[in-house]
């Protein structure tokens, strides 16, 4: 095991990113899809922090970026959940495959 | 003479039409507008002639330029030479005749005449513009009126035909557009101005790309084989005036474009591609003629024969001699007048007999001598009888084509000549079947032409005779224009 | 000098008649149109005679040679410098002769028609058409420009079309006029291409210049025209042969003759005018017009003319012997006689004594116009009387129609070549010319002259002798003065025209040509001709069974001749089966299913494609996301690894 | 401080309106009709003030940029929103949550303003989210319709996903260049493959917003499900905005990668035109139809963008201006019909000309403009796009683009055919439209006809570009 | 092999494993809990990187906010004990393929890229520094983004209220 550094974190973040993407592709439950989105956003955050820490420590752009991402994630999650709940009311289901009325 | 009048008058007529409520008013306003166009066309002819006599030898007369999108190198640049004047005269004649034969349109009268006038606006604009952009603008402006004329007021499988026509013509203009853009950028001056571009030496490589685009694009309009299939369906489904405009004017836009833009701007490529053009046009001439022979519907007959006749236009252009090009322009004028008259007459017959099937008609000469006599005359014009315009045009094309001494062009000319027999066959088959023989009983009560129809027919016939009996004025008008195109060739 | 205005008037008066009667006839001149047209033409004829007199006896000759005068030349259509269609008038012996013939015969027909067409519904139209035809024919004969001749050539064709189809409600008439137009049109294409070839070779369309250029071996044009060749034949030969095709079409030479018999569907006076005396000789006239070029430069083309003419003459004569419709007999006889004129030209040489054939041909043209018009008008009178064209409905008419009988007999004698009627002299010269230059044609010509006599008298006897006629229904005599007068006038012409010293006026090079009468030489043809008459008399003077027996014994040959050697059927096969089925139908099919099909297939294909890809828009948001990522990765891969 | 007020005037004005609406909503409330009138007046004023006291400049250390062109773009968007408030009056009056709808719409518009003005990636990202999330909520405003919430769900999830991808790209750009400022990024870009990857991930967010194939699949579903006002906002305003910022991002920020993005644009624009057209071909639902047609339109916008910077910019801005009029008019007619008769299928429009000539003509004009037929402005718009795109000299590209115009004409004509030509026993009843809507429709029609013919409009845009 | 290294690897393992489980487990409630662990793992990495502030924000917003929101919504919409429906195999395979390609591409690109390091003076990410810059107006101050986010949150709130209040208006 070598000394962990930038690349390690980048790899972790990339892996996490694609784990999130995988979840987004395969989870049929809307809430779990939303969870996958959160994973994606978190992996990006990790990227920003890592770059800020290891490369561009003279400014705090990466840091601020991640802070704002977190805020946005919250807002997005709130609206998404509101919509999901609304959908649940009308569809009586939050299975994404039940919501395929609009197509072709 | 201010050329923008040619645009303004149809435009004002169209706007006025929109404001009217009463169908009778609409008709008279449309008639007045088109009469004004005709007068204007004559004034133009006269002043043009006057200018030439006074020794004004500029390529284009009455040039006017207005600023329009200067950043693109677009200007509202108008001007005419003899070729354009001839085409404008043709348009004016066809328009007034078209308005007259549509006198009995009852369905959406206002919209109908509005579309007709809009179509004429497009044609005038096209013929007088010296800027490729506005030329294209006017070319496309005419597409929608055509579509609606066929689709709303047409008959038969009108929606299909209207669609086909609009799409194929748009396809043609799409190619034209690309060709124009190529020209625009290759010239190096970033200008759409025809005269400016003409002074440049467009690189041969660009010419080789842009010429076919332009030629085929415009060729679609003028029924270049194998892009002609909109012609039969479109013409046969259109209302009478629509067919007249389509065949009389619209198809000429293509020929004019091939000549004025493709050939004029890109002489080297025109030479290179001449063989292909000649082959295609000879195919169109013969194949169109033979296909016509098998048609049973009058409008189809005329539509297919238009393919054959427009083949002469392209043949003339492809031959690239001054006489042949003059002949091509003459053929455009002649075919425009003749086919408009033909369609007008078909319309009159159809309105009375409610059929266009040749085999369902017989002996009509007895009941409507005026209409049928004109049918004879126009048929004879179509097969190139001396004294009518078709003869003058075709002979000029033939003589011009024959000036090429090589075997290929000679063979092409001979083949093209053969078509006049086939033309005689199909014209006579149709005309004699309709006009002669025992009268079909159900047509016992038919009436001859009404005043408006007579007037329309006589106007067109007068033009046909004017070209056919005294062709020299037209040739003298046109051939300097052809001369200039040929000079660029050297 | 010729008076241009007067000559123009000759041509334009009939045109005036056409325009006036064509537009206003039905309204204002219902009954008077015949008189108007006839008087216009009378004036025209008078002027023509005056002009002929002036030309032949006053100003035509310079230094003993008849000149080609061009009193009028107006550039009608300028193609390019040097190449233009001029509307002009050329005055030379043959054109002047034709002016006289055309106006005179036309006048006769006009007069005859006053009675013949009386009461017809479209009386004004009829005279308008006659006027148009006369105008075109006159324009044709005075043409100074080869394209001008084509111009009037076509007009003649169309007026012929109109007149043949005059009884437009009769399907057979419609078919006939169509056929006439199309067949001649087909030949005209040859003419047109020929014109193109000649014009390019000579660089001009003007007759005088054209002939001058092509017959003088030192000009460049001449050298080029001889040098340029296609398929091993010089351009000039091609040009002349093609022009001759046009001429053959108009003049009903084999195998382009098929329209002529059918053209008899037109009113009989029309047949007399167009299909006997004037239009059909246009071809001969055309060859005569270009004769110097034919004779001096390309004798091979002239040979073709000779053989085609001779064959047509024989061929038509054989068929004429078997026909039962009197007008058809006359039609075939016309074809045969024109064949005579043609080969007369064909065997001729240029200049002096050698140009006898030329003179003879023109002479025969002249006399033929007289007696053939006479025969047709006579036939018209007969048909008017019995209301039938078929010989079987006739017979014994000699007492009922004495004037007709007499004049018809004169016509028959003239055409058969019995001295001293007109036909004898002209035929004599032709035979002489043939004998001098082409023996084989001479023998054919002899046979034809016997055949001619036979079929003409077969006709004559069947009409006027044979069985007794039992007229049924009302009886209206022979027809009035208007019908009889032309017959008499023409009969006089047919009787005495032969005595005109034709060679003094018309010869290949314009010089005076003395044509003598050679007794020894005439014996053979006259004997043959009398034999023919005798046989016809034996067979047809009394009603008997011999003709049938004879026909039966000839079996196949008779049948073939009766069916005109099945040429019509061959044409029918070629047009209907080959052109329609093998070209027209496939072209229409190709257009409908291939060209149009491709266009539609493009449309349908696009729609189908659009329907197949619709499943990508599945409504599944996760699939969308997969496409999203796949798209991004795909583009990234493309631009990182492939398209740098 | 003075600078702050003038430079950020459009944003401040919008914020003011948002809060005013919020207070009205929280307070005693107002009748829908009066409130709508108030909003319309406010928006009109907002639009008009956009023309005064403008000057170029930047604020917040270059985070916020403005220039004549940007102001113009904002004005165009303002105009579009004002037109929306007029055109969909029918729907607004019936809606129970009109003030909230406007709050969200204006918030999104505010986000768009910031987006156009953004000077660094953070601002870009935040305003993009601000421009998206409220729209997703708006999409759900037909609360009792299943389709509406399905559409909203698809939109919010897709956009979250696309944000994730974009952020990943941005993080890589940040890592590679060390800056998020638009002015500094181009100095640090060297065209390495990581940058290519980052750019493409970044680009995919634009592609998502602009509905570029293959990132477009959400579009039609969301358009169909959403209320017409939201749909038109999404298709006109939102797209226009993203196109605007896309221009400056490509021309300025990623200038060093020009070769890359040119080729990229060629590929995706061809794909977009073709796929958009092919899908539009067989749509029955008018909203879906317009959705796919607008995808195809984006393909054309990309052609223009691929051209050189000045002509590309001006032609795209001009086209968006035209597009605002044409697309809004089309949507408005569809909405007028749908809100009265529930007819959303093209077949329902058959024979409409008999009963509703005015609406028919407006629809026809709008569709012709979208199809690019003269004399409508769409012709000029498309032609300028193509001309700008042709400057790079790739004929095949332009030919494909031009041929796509034919396919698009085909389906536009399908609607025209239904309206004008086909016979129908029971055409749509005569529809009475709100006077304000009628006025706006007339205004749109006039715009469609005149914008192209009056060349100074284009010249003005070009002078700013 | 220092303690820090070991801690890092442990945190990494925690993050990745629980992340993976969060997207694969078929018990929805467990998925939420795995997500929680994953987020905590990330917070741990932030701590490890000595970015305490962001770590704190992570825990407060994510763990305290979003995950709770998610769990609430799970309760609202689904019985907690129920197993999630299975995704069809095709979709899974395609997803895996896409994800694998993406991951490979990203890793390769990241690995081969040589990042440059700034030569500037490090700025300590202290709360004071962050706060100052967050509310600053110039010199890279983040006041404007801050305001944008606030508007966004406001709008999100309005949107959520409208959408979520639906039942109330229905009953009213």
């Amino acid at each position: 095991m070598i000394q962990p550094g930038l690349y390690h974190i980048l790899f972790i973040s990339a892996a996490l990113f694609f784990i999130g993407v995988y979840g987004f592709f395969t989870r049929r439950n809307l809430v779990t899809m939303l969870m996958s989105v959160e994973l994606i956003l978190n992996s990006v955050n990790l990227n920003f922090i890592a770059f800020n820490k290891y490369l561009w420590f003279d400014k705090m752009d990466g840091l601020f970026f991640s802070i704002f991402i977190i805020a946005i994630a919250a807002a997005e999650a709130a609206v998404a959940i509101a919509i999901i709940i609304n959908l649940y009311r009308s569809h009586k289901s939050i299975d994404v495959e039940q919501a395929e009325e609009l197509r072709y | 003479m201010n050329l923008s009048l040619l645009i303004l008058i149809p435009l004002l007529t169209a706007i006025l039409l929109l404001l009217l409520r009463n169908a009778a008013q609409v008709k008279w306003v449309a008639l007045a507008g088109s009469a004004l166009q005709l007068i204007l066309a004559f004034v133009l002819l006269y002043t043009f002639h006057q200018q030439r006599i006074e020794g004004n030898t500029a390529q284009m007369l009455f040039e006017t330029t207005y600023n329009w999108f200067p950043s693109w190198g677009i200007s509202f640049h108008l001007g005419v030479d003899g070729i354009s004047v001839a085409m404008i005269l043709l348009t004016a004649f066809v328009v007034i005749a078209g308005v007259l034969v549509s006198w009995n349109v009852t369905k959406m009268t206002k919209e109908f005449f509005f579309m007709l006038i809009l179509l004429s606006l497009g044609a005038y604009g096209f013929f007088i513009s010296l800027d490729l952009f506005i030329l294209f603008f006017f070319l496309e402006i005419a597409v929608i009126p055509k579509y609606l004329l066929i689709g709303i007021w047409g008959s038969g499988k009108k929606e299909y035909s209207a669609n086909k026509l609009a799409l194929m013509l748009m396809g043609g203009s799409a190619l034209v557009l690309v060709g124009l853009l190529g020209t625009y950028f290759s010239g190096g001056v970033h200008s759409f101005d025809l005269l400016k571009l003409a002074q440049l030496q467009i690189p041969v490589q660009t010419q080789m790309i842009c010429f076919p685009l332009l030629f085929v694009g415009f060729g679609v309009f003028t029924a270049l084989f194998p892009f002609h299939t909109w012609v039969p369906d479109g013409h046969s489904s259109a209302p009478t005036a629509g067919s007249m405009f389509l065949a009389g004017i619209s198809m000429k836009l293509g020929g004019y474009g091939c000549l004025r833009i493709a050939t004029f701007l890109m002489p080297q490529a025109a030479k290179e591609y001449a063989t292909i053009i000649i082959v295609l046009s000879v195919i169109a001439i013969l194949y169109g003629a033979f296909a016509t022979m098998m048609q049973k519907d009058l409008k189809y007959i005329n539509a297919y024969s238009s393919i054959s006749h427009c083949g002469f236009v392209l043949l003339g252009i492809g031959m690239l001699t001054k006489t042949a090009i003059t002949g091509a322009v003459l053929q455009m004028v002649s075919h425009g007048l003749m086919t408009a008259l033909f369609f007008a007459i078909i319309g009159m017959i159809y309105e009375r007999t409610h059929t266009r099937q040749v085999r369902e008609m017989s002996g009509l000469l007895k009941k409507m001598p005026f209409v049928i006599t004109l049918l004879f005359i126009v048929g004879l014009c179509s097969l190139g009888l001396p004294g009518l315009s078709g003869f003058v045009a075709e002979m000029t094309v033939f003589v011009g084509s024959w000036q090429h001494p090589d075997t290929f062009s000679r063979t092409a000319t001979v083949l093209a000549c053969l078509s006049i027999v086939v033309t005689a066959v199909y014209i006579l088959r149709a005309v004699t079947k309709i006009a002669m023989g025992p009268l079909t009983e159900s047509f016992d009560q038919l009436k001859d032409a009404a005043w408006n129809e007579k007037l329309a027919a006589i106007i067109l016939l007068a033009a046909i005779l004017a070209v056919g009996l005294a062709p020299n004025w037209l040739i003298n008008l046109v051939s300097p224009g052809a001369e200039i195109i040929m000079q660029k060739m050297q | 000098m010729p008076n241009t205005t007067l000559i123009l008037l000759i041509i334009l008066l009939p045109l005036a008649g056409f325009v006036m009667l064509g537009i206003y006839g039905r309204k204002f001149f219902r009954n008077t149109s015949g008189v108007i047209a006839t008087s216009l033409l009378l004036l025209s004829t008078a002027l023509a005679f005056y002009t002929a007199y002036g030309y032949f006896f006053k100003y035509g000759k310079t230094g003993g040679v008849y000149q080609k005068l061009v009193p009028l030349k107006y550039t009608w259509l300028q193609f390019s410098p040097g190449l233009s269609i001029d509307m002009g008038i050329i005055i030379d012996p043959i054109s002047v002769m034709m002016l006289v013939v055309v106006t005179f015969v036309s006048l006769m027909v006009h007069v005859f028609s006053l009675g013949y067409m009386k009461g017809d519904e479209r009386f004004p139209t009829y005279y308008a058409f006659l006027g148009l035809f006369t105008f075109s024919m006159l324009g044709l004969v005075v043409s100074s420009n080869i394209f001008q001749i084509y111009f009037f050539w076509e007009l003649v064709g169309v007026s012929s079309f109109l007149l043949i189809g005059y009884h437009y409600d009769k399907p057979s008439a419609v078919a006939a006029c169509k056929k006439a137009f199309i067949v001649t049109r087909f030949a005209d294409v040859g003419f047109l291409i020929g014109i193109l070839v000649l014009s390019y070779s000579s660089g001009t369309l003007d007759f005088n210049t054209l002939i001058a250029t092509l017959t003088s071996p030192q000009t460049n044009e001449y050298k080029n025209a001889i040098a340029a060749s296609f398929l091993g034949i010089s351009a000039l030969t091609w040009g002349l042969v093609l022009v001759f095709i046009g001429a053959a079409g108009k003049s009903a030479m084999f195998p382009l003759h098929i329209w002529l018999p059918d053209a008899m569907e037109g009113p009989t006076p029309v047949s007399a005018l167009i299909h006997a005396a004037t239009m059909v000789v246009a071809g001969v006239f055309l060859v005569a017009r270009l004769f110097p070029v034919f004779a001096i430069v390309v004798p091979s083309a002239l040979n073709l003319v000779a053989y085609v003419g001779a064959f047509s003459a024989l061929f038509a004569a054989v068929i004429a012997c078997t026909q039962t419709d009197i007008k058809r007999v006359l039609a075939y006889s016309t074809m045969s006689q024109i064949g005579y004129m043609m080969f007369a030209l064909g065997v001729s040489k240029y200049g002096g004594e050698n140009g006898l054939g030329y003179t003879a041909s023109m002479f025969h043209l002249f006399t033929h116009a007289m007696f053939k018009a006479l025969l047709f008008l006579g036939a018209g009178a007969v048909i008017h009387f019995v209301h039938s064209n078929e010989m079987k409905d006739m017979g014994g008419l000699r007492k009922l129609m004495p004037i007709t009988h007499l004049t018809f007999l004169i016509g028959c004698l003239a055409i058969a070549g019995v001295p001293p009627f007109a036909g004898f002299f002209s035929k004599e010269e032709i035979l002489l010319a043939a004998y001098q230059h082409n023996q084989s044609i001479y023998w054919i010509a002899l046979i034809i002259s016997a055949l001619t006599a036979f079929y003409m008298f077969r006709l004559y006897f069947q009409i006027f002798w044979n069985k007794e006629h039992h007229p049924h229904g009302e009886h209206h005599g022979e027809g009035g003065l208007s019908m009889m007068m032309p017959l008499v006038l023409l009969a006089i012409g047919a009787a005495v025209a032969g005595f005109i010293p034709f060679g003094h006026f018309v010869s290949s090079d314009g010089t005076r040509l003395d044509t003598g009468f050679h007794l020894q030489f005439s014996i053979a043809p006259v004997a043959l001709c009398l034999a023919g008459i005798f046989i016809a008399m034996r067979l047809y003077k009394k009603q008997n069974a011999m003709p049938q027996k004879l026909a039966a014994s000839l079996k196949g040959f008779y049948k073939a001749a009766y069916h005109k050697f099945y040429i019509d059927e061959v044409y029918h096969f070629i047009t209907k089966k080959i052109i329609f089925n093998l070209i027209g139908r496939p072209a229409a099919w190709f257009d409908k299913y291939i060209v149009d099909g491709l266009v539609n297939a493009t449309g349908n294909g696009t729609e189908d494609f659009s329907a197949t890809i619709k499943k990508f828009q599945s409504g599944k948001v996760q699939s969308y996301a997969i496409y999203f990522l796949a798209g991004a990765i795909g583009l990234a891969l493309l631009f990182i690894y492939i398209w740098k | 401080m003075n600078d702050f007020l003038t430079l950020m005037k459009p944003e401040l004005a919008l914020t003011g309106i948002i809060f005013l609406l919020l207070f009205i909503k929280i307070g005693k409330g107002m009748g829908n009709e009066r409130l709508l009138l108030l909003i319309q007046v406010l928006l009109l004023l907002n639009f008009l003030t956009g023309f005064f006291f403008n000057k170029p400049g930047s604020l917040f250390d270059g985070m916020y940029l403005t220039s004549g062109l940007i102001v113009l773009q904002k004005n165009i968007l303002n105009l579009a929103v004002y037109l929306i408030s007029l055109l969909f009056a029918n729907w607004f009056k019936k809606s129970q949550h009109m003030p909230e709808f406007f709050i969200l719409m204006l918030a999104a518009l505010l986000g768009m303003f910031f987006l156009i003005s953004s000077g660094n990636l953070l601002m870009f990202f935040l305003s993009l989210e601000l421009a998206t999330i409220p729209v997703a909520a708006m999409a759900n405003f037909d609360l009792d319709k299943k389709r509406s919430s399905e559409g909203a769900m698809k939109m919010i999830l897709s956009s979250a996903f696309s944000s994730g991808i974009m952020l990943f790209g941005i993080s890589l750009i940040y890592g590679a260049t060390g800056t998020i400022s638009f002015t500094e990024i181009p100095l640090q870009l060297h065209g390495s493959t990581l940058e290519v990857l980052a750019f493409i991930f970044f680009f995919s967010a634009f592609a998502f917003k602009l509905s570029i194939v293959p990132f477009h699949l959400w579009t039609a579903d969301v358009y169909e499900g959403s209320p017409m006002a939201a749909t038109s906002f999404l298709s006109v305003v939102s797209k226009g905005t993203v196109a605007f910022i896309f221009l400056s991002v490509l021309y300025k920020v990623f200038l060093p990668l020009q070769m890359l993005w040119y080729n990229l644009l060629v590929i995706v624009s061809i794909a977009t035109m073709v796929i958009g057209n092919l899908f539009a071909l067989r749509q029955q639902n008018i909203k879906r139809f317009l959705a796919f047609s607008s995808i195809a339109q984006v393909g054309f916008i990309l052609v223009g963008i691929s051209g050189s910077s000045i002509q590309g910019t001006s032609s795209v801005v001009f086209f968006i201006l035209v597009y605002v009029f044409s697309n809004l008019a089309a949507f408005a007619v569809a909405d007028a019909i749908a809100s009265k008769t529930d007819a959303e299928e093209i077949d329902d429009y058959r024979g409409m000309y008999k009963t509703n000539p005015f609406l028919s003509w407006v629809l026809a004009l709008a569709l012709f403009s979208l199809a690019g037929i003269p004399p409508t402005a769409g012709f000029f718009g498309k032609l300028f796009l193509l001309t700008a795109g042709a400057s790079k000299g790739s004929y095949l590209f332009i030919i494909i683009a031009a041929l796509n115009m034919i396919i698009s004409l085909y389906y536009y004509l399908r609607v025209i055919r239904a309206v004008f030509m086909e016979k129908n026993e029971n055409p749509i009843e005569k529809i009475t439209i709100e006077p304000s809507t009628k006025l706006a429709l007339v205004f749109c029609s006039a715009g469609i006809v005149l914008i192209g013919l009056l060349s100074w409009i284009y010249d003005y845009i070009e002078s700013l570009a | 092999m220092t303690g820090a290294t070991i801690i890092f690897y442990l945190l990494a393992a925690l993050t990745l494993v629980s992340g993976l489980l969060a997207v694969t487990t078929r018990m929805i409630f467990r998925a939420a809990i795995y997500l929680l662990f994953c987020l905590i793992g990330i917070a741990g990495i932030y701590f490890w990187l000595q970015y305490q502030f962001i770590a704190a924000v992570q825990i407060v917003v994510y763990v305290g906010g979003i995950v709770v929101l998610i769990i609430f919504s799970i309760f609202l919409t689904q019985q907690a004990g129920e197993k999630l429906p299975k995704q069809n195999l095709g979709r899974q395979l395609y997803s895996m393929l896409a994800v694998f390609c993406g991951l490979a591409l990203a890793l390769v690109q990241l690995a081969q890229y040589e990042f440059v390091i700034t030569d500037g003076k490090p700025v300590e990410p202290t709360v004071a520094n962050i706060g100052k810059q967050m509310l600053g107006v110039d010199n890279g101050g983040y006041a404007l983004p801050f305001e944008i986010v606030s508007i966004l949150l406001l709008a999100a709130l309005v949107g959520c209220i409208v959408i979520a209040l639906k039942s109330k208006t229905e009953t009213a």
Side-chain angles (χ1 to χ4, degrees), chain C residues 391-414:
Chain C
M391 286 186 198
K392 65 178 181 334
D393 299 330
M394 301 165 189
L397 291 178
R398 67 185 180 281
K399 284 171 205 142
L400 296 169
M401 323 181 64
I403 302 175
T404 314
H405 171 225
L406 194 64
T407 52
F408 200 88
L409 179 62
I410 293 174
C412 284
L413 289 169

Side-chain angles (χ1 to χ4, degrees), chain D residues 31-50:
Chain D
N32 258 6
E33 291 210 13
R34 276 178 59 205
L35 185 57
L36 183 61
L37 192 64
L38 175 69
I39 292 171
Q40 286 167 352
V41 171
L42 285 175
L43 288 176
L44 179 61
L45 289 176
N46 179 38
F47 169 57
L48 293 178
T49 52

Side-chain angles (χ1 to χ4, degrees), chain B residues 68-72 108 111 133 136-137 140-141 144 147 151 159 163 167 170-171 174 177-178 181-182 185 206, chain D residues 311 353 368 373-374 379-380 383-384 386-387 390-391 395 406 409-410 413 417 421 452-453 455 458-459 462:
Chain B
W68 213 41
F69 300 107
S71 47
W72 288 108
M108 302 193 226
E111 288 85 342
F133 182 88
F136 185 71
F137 173 81
E140 292 238 310
I141 227 177
I144 288 308
Y147 175 77
E159 283 101 357
N163 246 340
L167 294 177
M170 275 301 273
L177 173 62
V178 182
L181 292 182
F185 284 109
T206 319
Chain D
Q311 288 185 332
Y353 182 70
F368 285 147
I373 304 267
F379 169 79
F380 296 92
L383 217 58
F384 293 158
L386 289 184
T387 314
S391 61
Y395 290 98
I406 306 166
L409 181 67
Y410 173 72
L413 288 183
R417 189 169 70 192
M421 301 174 190
L453 298 175
S455 67
Y458 180 81
D459 292 339
E462 170 133 348

Side-chain angles (χ1 to χ4, degrees), chain D residues 382-409:
Chain D
K382 274 205 178 152
L383 217 58
F384 293 158
L385 289 178
L386 289 184
T387 314
S391 61
K392 293 275 165 63
S394 61
Y395 290 98
L396 194 65
F397 182 34
I398 304 301
I399 289 180
I400 293 174
L403 290 180
N404 267 289
M405 283 175 76
I406 306 166
I407 310 183
S408 71
L409 181 67

Side-chain angles (χ1 to χ4, degrees), chain A residues 35-78:
Chain A
M35 285 156 56
S36 312
V37 171
E38 299 305 334
L39 283 183
I40 294 173
L41 295 179
N42 267 287
S43 82
V44 173
N45 275 348
L46 203 51
N47 259 355
F48 274 112
I49 297 294
F51 284 132
N52 201 346
K53 166 79 186 174
Y54 286 104
L55 303 176
W56 312 107
F57 37 75
D58 56 336
K59 278 194 266 175
M60 292 190 291
D61 290 340
L63 179 73
F64 277 103
F65 222 116
S66 20
I67 291 171
F68 284 112
I69 290 175
I70 291 171
I72 295 288
E76 204 158 36

